[in-house]
Amino acid sequence: MTIRLGYGTNGLTDLRLDDALGLLADLGYDGVGLTLDHMHLDPLAPDVAARTRHVASRLQELGLGVTVETGARYVLDPRRKHGPSLLDPDPEARAARTRLLVRAVGIAADLGAHAVHCFSGITPPDTTPDTAWHRLTDSLAPVLDAAERSGIPLAIEPEPGHLLASLADFHHLRVLSGDPPPLGLTLDIGHCQCLEPAAPVDCVRDAAPWLRHVQIEDMRRGVHEHLPFGEGEIDFPPVLEALDALPDTGYRGLTVVELPRHSHAGPELARTSIEFLRKHSPSSR
């Protein structure tokens, strides 16, 4: 299996970060999707530089690759989930999210990460689509500049319910932004099952040229709920076969298990997830 498997720390929030990384290495994962958040690597902490150096050393010691993820729920505002967003009506609030993403790019460079993940946010009430798209492209411009300087691609994720919700929306953003080289895609396999018109396996193939990060979990059609493998509707063998072929298109990043609401069972799900993915991979057949 050429897929490089990782597990998201947003599904291991009951563990100290050092312990979570050790667990994943012991289970045989190739890397980690590291969510910047207060309980692990807090991007707003005064000692973030020293802490980042420690995490970089720990990753190297364990032989783990890393993607930096920025989906922490309350890292900027303790009262608003994922707020403020890149679409916030308040320019200063949007700027706070932009600054966080620029900082994430710097942290990713210090960690040797292969991408920084982000998403657009939900369109605020009484906001026209044109206004929302303008805010998004404007807010992302400094982040893309930082990504280009650092050589760390930005991988935006189509998220159900957000302005940028689908692969078609990603391509719309590419056009609006002038198709900047640092702008890439996070493909979430469950989200493909949830709302894309094409099957997940076809989404993998269609998205391959722009892929910079992959997330994976089970899901049902029309229901945005991240599920452990085997509890949803996805036919995984063909999806894993398509992912296994991605290195032929140039993708060398991680495929990260994304179970952010299952931290209470994180260590066990990390074990059963890698066992499931190995069992259903092309090399096992």
Side-chain angles (χ1 to χ4, degrees), residues 25-41:
D26 288 346
L27 289 172
Y29 282 94
D30 301 293
V32 58
L34 175 56
T35 295
L36 301 182
D37 208 349
H38 62 87
M39 77 289 289
H40 284 152
L41 183 56

Side-chain angles (χ1 to χ4, degrees), residues 7-24 27 34 37-41 51 262-270:
Y7 199 94
T9 60
N10 59 3
L12 295 169
T13 57
D14 292 298
L15 277 67
R16 298 177 183 88
L17 182 56
D18 277 5
D19 292 340
L21 297 179
L23 168 74
L24 298 181
L27 289 172
L34 175 56
D37 208 349
H38 62 87
M39 77 289 289
H40 284 152
L41 183 56
R51 181 62 178 156
H262 292 77
S263 281
H264 62 283
E268 176 64 10
L269 280 171

